[in-house]
Amino acid sequence: MIRRITLLLIAVALVWCCVPASAQQPALPPAEADSPAEQLTPETNPAVLAALELPRTEPKHYLSAILALVNLKRPELAAPILEELIALKLDEKQQAALVDEFGSHRLLQLARETSLAPAGQQFAEACMTAAAAIAHDPQRIAKLVTDLNAPSDSVRNAARFDLASAGEPGVVAALEALARETDPQRRQAIAAAVVTMDPSAVDPLLGMLSTNNPTLRHDLIRILKAMHVTLAKPFIATETSTVSAERLLDEAIGRSKRGMRAFATDENDTVALWHWDDTTKKLGVTRYPIEEAQTIWSARLALEYARLRPDQRLVECQALVLGLEADAITSGRPSPAVLKLLNSADGDMLNMVLNAAMKHDFPRAAVAAAKTLGKRGDAGVLYVVSPNSAPLADALAY
């Protein structure tokens, strides 16, 4: 019996030794998962590493790293660098320098990066606002115009580039300087700079064509020709061929009468038209509804036609109707070109103008013609050799 019990204990011991250790011990609770920070793998992208390791001693170094990380689709790594850049509290000159260094399109890229909003947008907008303020500074622009005639090629080239970059203020400053300048060589340098400002210079140039200064007009036409401005073709042709100019003017006026627009409009269906004052040598701009803008442009064409053909009464009548209508829209008083035609017009011509203005529905021109007839005090305009009544009498029912 004792022997049998001993053998049984030995067998149990052997079985126990064969059981895995995990089964011999009580179960332990599962280990906690690693935190997200412990799960991140080390950065291996060499481009990302290079952007992160770039020495940052100047504002441009910070922005360069930020933009590089944005391009590499790692804006989360750019965020702390952006915070460091903002903490530098850059002044306007430093902000504008970043726009010059990287270009406004790169700052817009930063502004549109939603992962860095709103800090990225605010910083980018501050930089572009500062750059615009400096670029449009009148003293700076005046110096750039002066630098167009500097002895150094590099200074002249930089001035042309910076004036073009200034946009509308640069164009206006250059054109007004051209009108004031009397030295032929200096005028040529300014004109060459204006050519590089295409297309922002086109509309102001067209507005200046109303000048009575033949030298300035010649320069303007030469610039428009170099820029290949389609709307200016009738005026350009006057320099070489009167016949060709008359044809182009007649075609352009005809297109306008048929309702074909000469200008693109904004969302409010208005057009910005520039105008020139020979007395002050200043450019100005005003927005008009498209119908009024078309009338003003047609008047400029018709007055040019009348200048070429002062012997044609129908051409003169057309110029007076459109000119009086346009002047009433723009300033309320006759322009020098219209006043010259008005002073030379006899009673029959004024009757023609009044009749044409009522027929083609130009009420402002009709009022101006009637007022001029009234001031003349010539009763003869009331008598006509026809079965119809005089235009001044018809105007009572208009």
Side-chain angles (χ1 to χ4, degrees):
M1 172 63 87
I2 296 174
R3 178 179 176 83
R4 185 179 298 175
I5 293 173
T6 303
L7 290 174
L8 181 59
L9 291 174
I10 294 172
V12 171
L14 289 173
V15 171
W16 180 256
C17 292
C18 293
V19 174
S22 59
Q24 300 176 23
Q25 299 174 358
L28 296 175
E32 294 184 2
D34 292 338
S35 65
E38 293 170 339
Q39 291 177 353
L40 288 177
T41 57
E43 184 60 60
T44 58
N45 186 325
V48 173
L49 291 173
L52 291 171
E53 295 171 0
L54 178 71
R56 295 190 285 272
T57 58
E58 299 179 32
K60 64 181 180 180
H61 298 155
Y62 289 83
L63 186 55
S64 178
I66 293 166
L67 294 173
L69 291 169
V70 169
N71 284 337
L72 293 167
K73 310 299 183 185
R74 299 301 301 273
E76 73 282 0
L77 298 179
I81 303 176
L82 176 61
E83 291 179 3
E84 295 174 12
L85 177 57
I86 294 172
L88 295 178
K89 296 182 179 180
L90 307 182
D91 59 28
E92 282 194 348
K93 287 185 178 181
Q94 291 174 309
Q95 291 172 332
L98 291 177
V99 179
D100 289 339
E101 178 81 19
F102 295 92
S104 58
H105 65 288
R106 300 299 306 279
L107 271 298
L108 284 173
Q109 180 186 7
L110 175 60
R112 292 169 181 164
E113 180 53 57
T114 56
S115 300
L116 297 176
Q121 180 180 357
Q122 293 170 353
F123 179 81
E125 289 178 352
C127 289
M128 289 187 286
T129 300
I134 291 176
H136 297 166
D137 178 64
Q139 292 183 345
R140 175 178 178 273
I141 291 176
K143 184 179 184 305
L144 291 175
V145 173
T146 302
D147 287 345
L148 293 174
N149 284 281
S152 168
D153 286 342
S154 60
V155 173
R156 292 196 301 271
N157 291 335
R160 281 195 291 268
F161 177 81
D162 289 343
L163 273 176
S165 300
E168 187 178 289
V171 170
V172 171
L175 288 174
E176 291 179 350
L178 178 67
R180 294 190 302 268
E181 185 57 63
T182 57
D183 181 82
Q185 288 187 335
R186 297 178 69 85
R187 291 174 68 89
Q188 185 175 357
I190 297 173
V194 174
V195 172
T196 66
M197 298 179 184
D198 183 23
S200 57
V202 171
D203 290 338
L205 283 165
L206 292 173
M208 289 182 74
L209 285 174
S210 61
T211 180
N212 291 315
N213 183 328
T215 303
L216 177 59
R217 180 186 172 86
H218 175 73
D219 286 342
L220 297 173
I221 289 177
R222 186 162 53 89
I223 294 170
L224 288 164
K225 184 178 181 180
M227 295 166 65
H228 306 288
V229 178
T230 302
L231 284 179
K233 283 184 177 180
F235 300 93
I236 294 171
T238 61
E239 295 284 296
T240 54
S241 171
T242 301
V243 174
S244 178
E246 289 176 10
R247 176 180 59 80
L248 291 171
L249 286 165
D250 194 46
E251 291 174 354
I253 295 170
R255 287 193 295 271
S256 184
K257 288 180 178 179
R258 293 192 298 274
M260 299 177 67
R261 296 182 173 186
F263 305 98
T265 60
D266 62 8
E267 65 277 5
N268 297 317
D269 214 25
T270 64
V271 176
L273 288 185
W274 290 80
H275 49 87
W276 173 252
D277 190 323
D278 267 332
T279 303
T280 62
K281 291 183 172 55
K282 292 290 185 181
L283 271 164
V285 63
T286 307
R287 299 203 75 87
Y288 299 96
I290 182 59
E291 294 79 9
E292 293 184 355
Q294 284 291 127
T295 298
I296 296 168
W297 178 245
S298 296
R300 294 177 183 178
L301 295 168
L303 288 167
E304 180 67 11
Y305 201 167
R307 186 183 72 84
L308 294 176
R309 296 305 300 268
D311 55 325
Q312 288 195 12
R313 289 179 68 79
L314 288 177
V315 172
E316 181 182 349
C317 176
Q318 176 180 248
L320 274 170
V321 170
L322 291 170
L324 287 170
E325 187 77 10
D327 287 345
I329 293 170
T330 56
S331 63
R333 62 182 184 277
S335 60
V338 172
L339 192 59
K340 181 179 179 181
L341 289 176
L342 207 56
N343 290 337
S344 64
D346 55 23
D348 288 341
M349 173 56 67
L350 291 175
N351 264 341
M352 287 176 61
V353 171
L354 177 57
N355 186 58
M358 292 187 294
K359 180 179 178 181
H360 297 289
D361 198 22
F362 289 110
R364 300 178 183 88
V367 169
K371 284 184 176 180
T372 304
L373 284 167
K375 290 178 180 179
R376 296 275 178 95
D378 180 8
V381 299
L382 295 172
Y383 300 94
V384 290
V385 185
S386 73
N388 299 320
S389 54
L392 194 57
D394 289 338
L396 293 173
Y398 178 67

